[in-house]
């Protein structure tokens, strides 16, 4: 992270994201909660990559069942000036399992990915706000990649954010996706059940979910639910 001219503007807020240590029926305290993310800062914008864990529920036999898969949450903030970014008006974009899989194939089977999200899909407001995420190779031929995020909102001006990634940044990004993919599907807890209560976000009888699960992320379609 580069030196901050304004820490509040340059650092994305972390208190919304609960990654580990949730307990059934109550919000975890600060002592057993860990926040982590990967940030990329450029002259025109910044990007923060956050891992939002899956949500589980208990069945009648008190067995943990996957309720909602996790996802990779991307936050984009436009630049306000040197080393300052407008995180208060950030743009969110959630990557699903298959979208992560396509990004992992960039440079191999794929040379470009493009995803279109509609937060109001199958509602009367469908098409009101559309977000398009695109990744292509950089134009310099140096192994870099370019993320382009376009937001078309009927009630606001069109927004376009460009986020170039160097070879190193792209490698870190892909390795993060590769490492977290099975955990987003709940497989980490499947093979390590003794840590389930420490690492799982569990849906309690009163409807409690982790704070991250309540963030207004856009999914490519209805959230897939397993019972």
């Amino acid at each position: 992270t580069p030196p901050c001219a304004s820490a509040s503007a340059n650092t994305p807020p972390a208190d919304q994201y609960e990654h580990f240590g949730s307990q059934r029926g109550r919000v975890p305290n600060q002592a057993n909660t860990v926040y982590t993310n990967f940030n990329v800062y450029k002259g025109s914008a910044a990007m923060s990559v956050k891992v939002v864990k899956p949500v589980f529920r208990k069945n009648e036999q008190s067995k943990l069942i996957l309720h909602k898969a996790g996802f990779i949450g991307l936050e984009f903030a436009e630049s306000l000036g040197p080393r300052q970014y407008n995180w208060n008006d950030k743009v969110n974009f959630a990557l699903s399992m298959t979208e992560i899989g396509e990004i992992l194939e960039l440079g191999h089977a794929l040379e470009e990915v493009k995803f279109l999200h509609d937060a109001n899909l199958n509602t009367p407001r469908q098409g009101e706000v559309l977000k398009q995420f695109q990744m292509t190779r950089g134009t310099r031929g140096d192994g870099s990649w370019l993320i382009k995020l376009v937001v078309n909102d009927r009630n606001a001006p069109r927004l376009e954010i460009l986020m170039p990634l160097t070879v190193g940044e792209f490698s870190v990004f892909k390795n993060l996706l590769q490492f977290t993919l099975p955990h987003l599907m709940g497989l980490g807890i499947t093979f390590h059940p003794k840590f389930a209560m420490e690492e799982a976000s569990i849906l309690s009888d009163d409807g409690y979910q982790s704070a991250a699960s309540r963030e207004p992320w856009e999914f490519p379609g209805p959230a897939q639910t397993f019972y």
Side-chain angles (χ1 to χ4, degrees), residues 46-107:
M47 178 181 72
S48 184
V49 183
K50 300 178 182 293
V51 181
V52 180
K53 64 187 177 183
V55 176
F56 293 79
R57 73 188 317 164
K58 283 191 174 183
N59 64 10
E60 296 177 355
Q61 292 77 38
S62 295
K63 304 294 185 181
L64 286 180
I65 306 297
L66 184 64
H67 176 71
K68 182 188 295 184
F71 58 91
I72 295 292
L74 304 180
E75 292 180 345
F76 296 88
E78 292 186 288
S79 174
L80 295 173
R83 299 172 180 167
Q84 297 186 52
Y85 301 92
N86 187 12
W87 293 108
N88 291 328
D89 294 322
K90 64 188 177 184
V91 180
N92 296 332
F93 197 91
L95 295 174
S96 67
M97 300 294 105
T98 54
E99 290 171 338
I100 292 173
E102 290 191 35
I103 291 176
L104 291 175
E105 287 300 320
L106 286 174

Side-chain angles (χ1 to χ4, degrees), residues 161-201:
I161 297 177
L162 298 178
M163 175 58 56
L165 298 179
T166 65
V167 174
E169 292 164 344
F170 180 62
S171 178
V172 172
F173 183 48
K174 286 186 65 174
N175 275 280
L176 174 62
L177 299 185
Q178 183 79 64
F179 174 79
T180 58
L181 186 57
H183 296 282
L184 298 177
M185 302 167 64
L187 295 179
I189 290 175
T190 299
F191 289 103
H192 301 282
K194 68 172 62 178
F195 301 113
M197 290 303 293
E198 296 180 8
E199 297 189 8
S201 178

Side-chain angles (χ1 to χ4, degrees), residues 6 11 15-16 26 33 35 38 40 44 59 61 80 96 121 130 142 145 155 198 202 213 218 220 225:
S6 173
T11 305
D15 55 357
Q16 305 174 52
R26 69 180 182 87
T33 305
Y35 305 106
F38 168 57
V40 179
S44 61
N59 64 10
Q61 292 77 38
L80 295 173
S96 67
L121 190 65
L130 298 176
D142 57 358
W145 291 79
N155 302 311
E198 296 180 8
I202 302 173
S213 301
E218 285 74 26
T225 304

Side-chain angles (χ1 to χ4, degrees), residues 118-128 219-223:
D118 184 348
N120 303 306
L121 190 65
N122 299 323
T123 72
R125 298 176 58 191
Q126 179 171 328
E128 185 174 307
F219 289 87

